[in-house]
Amino acid sequence: MRHIFIVGIGTGNPEHLTVQAINALNKVDVIFIPSKGAAKAELADVRKDICQRYVTNKAVRFVDYAVPVRQTAERSYVQSVDDWHAQISSTYEQLFEDHMTEGRSAAFLVWGDPSLYDSTIRIVERVKARDRVDLDYSVIPGITSIQALTASHRIPLNLVGKPVQVTTGRRLSESFPAMVETAVVMLDGELAFKRIDDPEAYIYWGAYLGTEDEITIAGRLADVSDRIVATRAAARAKHGWIMDIYLLRKGSDFDDQA
Ligand SMILES: C[S@@+](CC[C@H](N)C(=O)[O-])C[C@H]1O[C@@H](n2cnc3c(N)ncnc32)[C@H](O)[C@@H]1O
């Protein structure tokens, strides 16, 4: 049986790597590295930096692979994601067949934590279910962009005793602030916070968290919204890409205890 380690690597700072992750990377036969194109070269560099720093076992081989691009034309969102996962699972299956023999192990380096808005677990499970390659897998947790955001802003994630919703830009308006007082928003290309009209809402925003280019802005949403929009646009133009996340909050600790 082949064994796949799905290793969380944190969100840009090589020091996010856990000892458990370093140990796993040093015991596998192969590390698969995605090549995502020049625009996100910095992200590929983080993976290479991690391997150079921590993989001391000279027997470990590195194999680059091209990640299929998601096709959206003439497909619903669900169909487009499903097709994309099917393509990636074929790519993975081929990697396992070409670069691992029976009894060998390999690792994927997953941005942040593999459980959070990432489909590596789903896709490896899909390959396993197809049963053409005999395999099993383990997941090694990593620091998420949520933790990087709250650490940079030095804030607790939740208000005392209260829930938190993790959502996407597409879904934000369904919940905040009517249903939750803390929402963490990821994968938001639409700047959904601009549609929140609540004078009591606060935002804690961060881009390129954990990297040398990290930017953070916090304040009352109505006061800082325009500054975030302008800063985001300028940073995106400079780098050619952006990864950002934010926490929206309303209320305070113990405000339901009166
Ligand atoms: C596909 S999800 C992957 C999340 C990842 N698995 C995690 O644990 O954070 C990508 C989204 O995560 C957030 N993200 C990831 N890394 C980030 C970073 N370094 N700075 C800001 N946001 C980040 C952004 O919202 C981005 O759109």
Side-chain angles (χ1 to χ4, degrees):
M1 183 173 299
R2 296 158 173 91
H3 198 93
I4 311 298
F5 290 88
I6 302 174
V7 182
I9 60 167
T11 55
N13 183 343
E15 293 185 4
H16 285 177
L17 229 73
T18 65
V19 175
Q20 189 187 13
I22 294 170
N23 288 340
L25 295 181
N26 277 290
K27 76 176 176 204
V28 296
D29 299 292
V30 187
I31 298 178
F32 295 124
I33 307 274
S35 45
K36 278 204 166 180
K40 291 197 180 174
E42 290 98 327
L43 299 187
D45 287 350
V46 172
R47 287 190 168 82
K48 284 185 191 139
D49 186 14
I50 283 171
C51 293
Q52 270 163 14
R53 276 190 197 215
Y54 300 118
V55 181
T56 50
N57 177 1
K58 298 280 179 252
V60 177
R61 285 180 297 122
F62 297 92
V63 171
D64 284 321
Y65 69 99
V67 184
V69 177
R70 181 154 74 93
Q71 306 296 328
T72 49
E74 293 164 18
R75 293 169 172 86
S76 67
Y77 175 73
V78 171
Q79 189 57 49
S80 128
V81 171
D82 191 49
D83 289 352
W84 187 45
H85 286 180
Q87 280 187 349
I88 302 177
S89 54
S90 299
T91 303
Y92 281 12
E93 197 173 74
Q94 201 63 52
L95 287 172
F96 303 158
E97 281 179 339
D98 292 350
H99 300 283
M100 300 170 73
T101 49
E102 271 294 309
R104 297 296 177 174
S105 59
F108 286 106
L109 276 54
V110 174
W111 198 258
D113 181 78
S115 70
L116 185 66
Y117 288 109
D118 185 276
S119 287
T120 311
I121 296 174
R122 269 181 209 101
I123 293 165
V124 170
E125 184 59 46
R126 212 161 160 150
V127 179
K128 183 171 156 61
R130 269 214 301 225
D131 212 19
R132 290 193 209 157
V133 183
D134 189 25
L135 69 90
D136 206 355
Y137 64 93
S138 314
V139 176
I140 296 182
I143 291 180
T144 68
S145 48
I146 299 177
Q147 292 158 304
L149 178 75
T150 53
S152 284
H153 284 287
R154 304 185 305 174
I155 52 168
L157 176 60
N158 60 290
L159 295 173
V160 173
K162 295 191 183 176
V164 173
Q165 184 178 62
V166 180
T167 188
T168 62
R170 229 160 46 96
R171 298 274 174 121
L172 177 66
S173 57
E174 292 168 12
S175 51
F176 184 87
M179 291 166 69
V180 288
E181 291 160 291
T182 300
V184 177
V185 187
M186 306 177 65
L187 294 160
D188 181 13
E190 314 160 18
L191 311 182
F193 61 82
K194 289 198 295 184
R195 297 197 297 270
I196 304 288
D197 179 20
D198 189 317
E200 290 172 37
Y202 272 75
I203 186 167
Y204 299 86
W205 176 82
Y208 314 105
L209 293 163
T211 75
E212 287 171 358
D213 302 308
E214 173 168 317
I215 316 170
T216 53
I217 297 177
R220 210 169 62 93
L221 181 59
D223 298 336
V224 297
S225 177
D226 289 348
R227 183 149 65 93
I228 294 173
V229 173
T231 305
R232 190 182 188 280
R236 192 171 181 202
K238 179 175 162 204
H239 295 279
W241 62 279
I242 191 159
M243 267 205 301
D244 62 337
I245 179 170
Y246 52 93
L247 182 150
L248 285 170
R249 179 112 79 208
K250 201 183 156 166
S252 56
D253 287 335
F254 307 116
D255 60 3
D256 54 352
Q257 304 290 308

